[in-house]
Amino acid sequence: QVQLAESGGGLVRAGDSLRLSCAASVRTFSPYAAGWFRQAPGKEREFVAAISSSGSSTMYADSVKGRFTISRDNAKRTLYLQMNSLKPEDTAVYYCAARPYISAVERATMYDYWGQGTQVTVSS
């Protein structure tokens, strides 16, 4: 069983940057593809970014492409989301997720393990 814990959220102004981290409590993180999702008030959970188990392949939602970067450090068993040029519409609870397969995917139902979420608020 995999436990995931997000950190790094907070309150920032438009144009600022944040880096989110997701620590995986598992002996080895390398077999798991992973991703980031977010959910704003009154909206469905939406895909943000995903990364293959080795880190060789990544995927991004159009809304964050060019601003956000997903990465991982398997030796540290940690997933990251670097968020630059933040906008008010990025305000949401951000969740990390993992699945015991190689490929990065964008459908939330394909992930088996989820963190508790971390709040990101961007003011204008």
Side-chain angles (χ1 to χ4, degrees), residues 40-103:
K43 295 184 178 180
E44 299 286 334
R45 186 173 301 183
E46 67 173 346
F47 169 75
V48 176
I51 189 166
S52 61
S53 59
S54 69
S56 63
S57 180
T58 58
M59 301 173 60
Y60 296 92
D62 288 342
S63 60
V64 307
K65 195 171 298 181
R67 298 188 298 123
F68 291 10
T69 302
I70 188 170
S71 62
R72 64 192 296 159
D73 187 333
N74 285 339
K76 295 182 178 180
R77 298 179 293 180
T78 303
L79 177 74
Y80 302 99
L81 184 68
Q82 178 66 47
M83 305 185 294
N84 298 328
S85 302
L86 282 162
K87 304 175 180 179
E89 51 262 46
D90 295 317
T91 295
V93 176
Y94 283 71
Y95 300 89
C96 64
R99 59 195 297 262
Y101 301 95
I102 294 173
S103 300

Side-chain angles (χ1 to χ4, degrees), residues 31-33 98-102 110-113:
Y32 299 87
R99 59 195 297 262
Y101 301 95
I102 294 173
M110 297 185 72
Y111 288 86
D112 300 284
Y113 307 105

Side-chain angles (χ1 to χ4, degrees), residues 6-24:
E6 303 94 337
S7 62
L11 279 64
V12 298
R13 293 183 294 178
D16 287 351
S17 297
L18 278 176
R19 187 180 71 167
L20 305 183
S21 298
C22 173

